[in-house]
Amino acid sequence: MTPHATVVESLRQEGYRLTPQRMMILDIINDSVSHMSAEEIHQKVRERYPFVNISTVYRTLNLLKRLRLISETDLGEGYVRYELLERERHHHLVCRRCGESFALEHDFLKPLQLRLLKKYGFAADLDHFAIFGLCQRCRSGEGTAAAGKEGQHGAD
Amino acid sequence: MTPHATVVESLRQEGYRLTPQRMMILDIINDSVSHMSAEEIHQKVRERYPFVNISTVYRTLNLLKRLRLISETDLGEGYVRYELLERERHHHLVCRRCGESFALEHDFLKPLQLRLLKKYGFAADLDHFAIFGLCQRCRSGEGTAAAGKEGQHGAD
DNA sequence: ATGCATGCAAATTGTTTGCACTTCA
DNA sequence: TGAAGTGCAAACAATTTGCATGCAT
């Protein structure tokens, strides 16, 4: 599948070249069901064409990020995940105890976004947020305490 | 100034030792006006007692974080900042273009926190959030584009 | 042709860890 | 006295960068 036309056009319009590497990386991100890490993207790209360097992946990711074509999300895993911004907005509730991650509809954050815009004229990038806390199960004491990461991490 | 009694007691009650290093680190965090990086804390501590190692700082910070006595905030600077959780909650709006940071009262996030609790039973750690976006000035085109960090970064 | 893009390897950097020594409870 | 805490240095791992080469426009 080819990257959605808008992404490609965004690149061209800004004067960036559409190299095979960038195409492949875009393809991968576009095809993926969920958000991927740089390493995962690199692996996938190499399955098709083994000579793409990880630094190229990072450089492309940074470019797309700067152009706001992809979002960057820190789920507290020690690396960040990327995803096309075209996708339907969604967010995550991440339990700091058991590590479980729950989806959160974007509508949940819309009021906040709107208030920030109205009161401060601040256009928040609430594209793909991660909110840390304690899930219901862990709160009620029966937490599995599996892969719990401590602390409050970033939303992208 | 001595760390607030509650913090000290929290430590003791959990069975942790109250070593001079931990005291000093707590003092520093407590005295500081704003949130500090691990490196800054280390520097300050060394002004008083030059033999405290950076790894001890990190270990102490992680301990306090685990006990939820301090918050960890990622302002997109490449390192995280720490702060006593006793403090009055506040958050940040960080402009991705000019890098400027604006304070945001906690009341702004309370509705979200409440809704997450009610609907999902999820107790969000909305202690010290950072929300990235475009500030009013930059939106109106007169952005200074000073230290702009690209991408969407985490709240702590 | 010419400057943007890539590959490669080395560097960076915040943070963590292993281990021996120390010290508090 | 014995586990918890510390110092030190080395390890880590994700990401970035310098530079020579290559390719798109």
Side-chain angles (χ1 to χ4, degrees), chain A residues 104-130:
Chain A
L104 180 69
E105 322 88 83
H106 181 59
D107 286 345
F108 239 80
L109 291 182
K110 271 186 183 166
L112 174 63
Q113 197 163 27
L114 201 63
R115 285 177 67 203
L116 291 177
L117 191 61
K118 278 190 179 170
K119 291 208 183 173
Y120 298 105
F122 187 87
D125 298 340
L126 297 184
D127 301 319
H128 194 174
F129 236 65

Side-chain angles (χ1 to χ4, degrees), chain A residues 73-80 92 94-97 99 128-133 147-156, chain B residues 62 65-66 68 70-75 80-82 124-132 152-156:
Chain A
T73 311
D74 182 356
L75 255 37
E77 302 164 300
Y79 51 82
V80 290
H92 296 268
V94 185
C95 180
R96 88 171 103 89
R97 180 114 177 277
H128 194 174
F129 236 65
I131 297 176
F132 288 77
K149 295 265 309 185
E150 70 282 321
Q152 187 178 219
H153 286 269
D156 45 315
Chain B
N62 281 332
K65 190 172 65 179
R66 221 179 321 125
R68 286 191 54 70
I70 60 174
S71 72
E72 191 185 64
T73 311
D74 181 356
L75 256 37
V80 290
R81 293 181 171 277
Y82 300 91
D125 299 340
L126 297 183
D127 302 317
H128 193 174
F129 236 65
I131 297 175
F132 289 77
Q152 186 179 225
H153 287 271
D156 46 317

Side-chain angles (χ1 to χ4, degrees), chain B residues 3 40 65 86 115 122:
Chain B
E40 282 171 1
K65 190 172 65 179
E86 302 179 328
R115 285 178 66 205
F122 186 88

Side-chain angles (χ1 to χ4, degrees), chain B residues 90-140:
Chain B
H90 72 285
H91 311 274
H92 295 268
L93 300 176
V94 184
C95 180
R96 90 171 101 89
R97 179 114 179 278
C98 68
E100 200 81 43
S101 178
F102 311 88
L104 180 69
E105 322 89 82
H106 181 60
D107 286 345
F108 239 80
L109 290 181
K110 270 186 183 164
L112 173 63
Q113 197 163 28
L114 202 63
R115 285 178 66 205
L116 290 178
L117 191 62
K118 278 190 177 170
K119 292 208 182 172
Y120 298 105
F122 186 88
D125 299 340
L126 297 183
D127 302 317
H128 193 174
F129 236 65
I131 297 175
F132 289 77
L134 219 47
C135 73
Q136 187 150 45
R137 201 154 57 107
C138 286
R139 279 178 60 224
S140 62

Side-chain angles (χ1 to χ4, degrees), chain B residues 4-149:
Chain B
H4 202 187
T6 59
V7 175
V8 173
E9 265 157 39
S10 296
L11 271 179
R12 307 202 90 116
Q13 281 179 9
E14 303 277 344
Y16 294 101
R17 292 183 187 166
L18 222 48
T19 65
Q21 287 91 335
R22 286 181 179 168
M23 286 289 286
M24 284 188 283
I25 291 170
L26 272 170
D27 274 359
I28 295 297
I29 301 178
N30 194 55
D31 288 5
S32 78
V33 193
S34 61
H35 20 59
M36 307 171 79
S37 68
E39 188 54 46
E40 282 171 1
I41 293 168
H42 184 218
Q43 290 304 326
K44 286 276 185 188
V45 172
R46 292 185 64 164
E47 285 173 16
R48 301 191 192 173
Y49 181 69
F51 305 112
V52 177
N53 196 274
I54 184 76
S55 61
T56 299
V57 174
Y58 276 110
R59 276 190 277 234
T60 301
L61 255 24
N62 281 332
L63 174 64
L64 299 174
K65 190 172 65 179
R66 221 179 321 125
L67 297 176
R68 286 191 54 70
L69 297 174
I70 60 174
S71 72
E72 191 185 64
T73 311
D74 181 356
L75 256 37
E77 302 162 302
Y79 50 84
V80 290
R81 293 181 171 277
Y82 300 91
E83 180 177 40
L84 278 193
L85 266 192
E86 302 179 328
R87 291 202 199 299
E88 198 186 351
R89 297 279 192 281
H90 72 285
H91 311 274
H92 295 268
L93 300 176
V94 184
C95 180
R96 90 171 101 89
R97 179 114 179 278
C98 68
E100 200 81 43
S101 178
F102 311 88
L104 180 69
E105 322 89 82
H106 181 60
D107 286 345
F108 239 80
L109 290 181
K110 270 186 183 164
L112 173 63
Q113 197 163 28
L114 202 63
R115 285 178 66 205
L116 290 178
L117 191 62
K118 278 190 177 170
K119 292 208 182 172
Y120 298 105
F122 186 88
D125 299 340
L126 297 183
D127 302 317
H128 193 174
F129 236 65
I131 297 175
F132 289 77
L134 219 47
C135 73
Q136 187 150 45
R137 201 154 57 107
C138 286
R139 279 178 60 224
S140 62
E142 26 154 339
T144 51
K149 294 268 305 183

